Structure formats: C-alpha cells, structure tokens
Amino acid sequence: MTTAGWAWSGSGTGDERRLRPPSKLLWLAEYRALWEAGFALTATPLLLGAPRGDGHPVLVLPGFLVSDLSTTMLRGYLKMLGYETHGWELGRNFGRKVSIVGWSLGGVYARDLALAMPDVVRSVITLGSPFSRNPNASNISDVYEFVSGEGPWDNGRQIEHEFDAIGGDLPMPSSSIWSKVDGIVSWRSSVLKANAHAENIEVIGASHVGLGANAAVLWAVADRLAQRDGTFTPFARGGPFAIAYGSGR
C-alpha cells in the first residue's frame, strides 16, 4: 500500500485543477457532527432494521490524524448487524474476502489496497475520501504536508502516475459516500465515475467529521455491505432516511 496521503486521479485538467477547499463557514459548521452522532443514537431502533448481509469481515480505516477511536460508532453498528469488524489493526486473517470501509484518508488507502490485492477485497466503501482531482482542495492540505513531509504538489503537476488508478475503476463493487456541505474536503474530489459496479451516494447536510456517525450514512453502509459477494445493485436511496439522500451527482 502506498503511503502517499490525499490521493487523487491526477488525470484531470482545466476546472479539476482549479478546485478550491470548502468555505471556512462550512469548516466551522463541522461541529454539527455532534448533532449527527446524537441523532444516530436516538435512531438506533431504525438503524437496526437495515438490510443484513452474511457477516463477512469488514475492515474500517480511519481518517487523517485520527485513530480507531474515531470509527468506534461505525464499527459498533456493523458488529450489531453481525459483521466481523476490524479496525486499523487487522487481527487474524482466516482467508475470507473482506469489504473495506474507509473514511477520508482511510478511503484513499482502501482503494489503493483494493488495487494492490483485488483477490482478497470484496467491496470498497469510502466516506468523504478525496481520491480524485486536486490534492489542494482541502482545508487541511497544509497540515497534511507538514505532518507527512509530502508535497507541495504545485496544483497537481508533481502527482505521480500511480495515483491515476485510485480515482478510476476498481475490479470490485465500490461506493463513494459524500456530502456537498463537507467542510474539510471539496465534495467534487470524492465523486466517482459511475459504471456497472461503481456509484456515488450523496448524503444531504452531512459533515465530514460526522460521516462515520451520521444515521443516513450508517444505513447506506449497511445496505451496501448486505449485497451478496460478486453482485452489485445500485443503492435504492430508500429506507427510513430516504429524504437524506441526494442525486449523487
């Protein structure tokens, strides 16, 4: 797995090179993540009615500068639905295919891992992951550069070709979940090119920080994981949180 951070396709030109981070107002509004988590807790009875799969292993990867603690609620929910969940530390590998859920930077790693080991990855779900377009379209790109020692990227001209594939087609089902009012990364950097086994799921009003605790996101993740291995049906945007799903464009 590559150690490069905010990943992107590197193949875009024109408008893709001129993407800007979300506004500072949206960044400040990330505090709504606390409300999202609280609502999800009260909506637990509804969430437990989500489609259930076969209990296959699910690897959940956290975002930049955070640990498995940040994915506690998401992993706990998936365990309640019967999935064998693992955090950043994998535990034992019993040879079963795994689905990977990656939040923010974790989603970048998830797609990279899926490309490197397609035979062991069943599906990939990303939450607000900036895997395409301009790496500077983030309100914390400077922080990432400082912490990781990578960059600056000069508006993408120094992006290596190995990243082209991360934002492209994967050989297994993939779903990108994002919000147009994400206060950390530009939502446009999370948009997949939809095809026969890849889709975009927009969650209206969700914050970046709250994606792993947003009730509509949790339901969508559960719905995607419930699909049988080797099959893909586009998300129906239904269930008790149907009003929260946008067009995905």
Side-chain angles (χ1 to χ4, degrees), residues 29-182:
E30 284 291 308
Y31 282 107
R32 68 189 182 278
L34 297 174
W35 180 89
E36 292 174 271
F39 176 77
L41 288 174
T42 63
T44 298
L46 293 175
L47 287 168
L48 291 178
R52 294 179 182 243
D54 57 7
H56 67 275
V58 178
L59 173 62
V60 182
L61 304 182
F64 178 52
L65 290 182
V66 292
S67 67
D68 285 335
L69 182 64
S70 67
T71 63
T72 298
M73 188 168 181
L74 174 57
R75 286 184 288 115
Y77 171 60
L78 296 180
K79 284 182 181 179
M80 292 173 70
L81 294 182
Y83 292 98
E84 177 190 334
T85 61
H86 300 277
W88 186 252
E89 298 183 6
L90 279 173
R92 297 186 182 185
N93 183 354
F94 293 99
R96 298 176 64 188
K97 278 190 173 183
V98 301
S99 290
I100 310 178
V101 180
W103 189 352
S104 195
L105 177 60
V108 175
Y109 287 144
R111 293 182 65 86
D112 196 14
L113 179 59
L115 287 170
M117 306 178 68
D119 293 338
V120 300
V121 177
R122 172 169 166 159
S123 65
V124 177
I125 303 170
T126 57
L127 312 180
S129 298
F131 47 73
S132 62
R133 303 184 184 237
N134 194 313
N136 295 313
S138 164
N139 275 318
I140 60 171
S141 58
D142 290 342
V143 178
Y144 178 81
E145 289 179 22
F146 176 77
V147 173
S148 68
E150 297 181 4
W153 294 288
D154 191 21
N155 289 327
R157 286 193 290 273
Q158 296 182 29
I159 297 173
E160 299 180 16
H161 292 297
E162 66 177 281
F163 294 113
D164 292 353
I166 294 178
D169 296 341
L170 294 182
M172 70 286 296
S174 61
S175 303
S176 177
I177 302 175
W178 43 264
S179 166
K180 286 186 178 178
V181 289
D182 188 315

Side-chain angles (χ1 to χ4, degrees), residues 6-10 15-20 130-138 153-156 159 186 188-189:
W6 295 112
W8 46 89
S9 69
D15 291 341
E16 295 186 4
R17 298 296 188 189
R18 293 193 292 271
L19 284 181
R20 294 290 182 267
F131 47 73
S132 62
R133 303 184 184 237
N134 194 313
N136 295 313
S138 164
W153 294 288
D154 191 21
N155 289 327
I159 297 173
S186 170
R188 292 179 177 84
S189 67

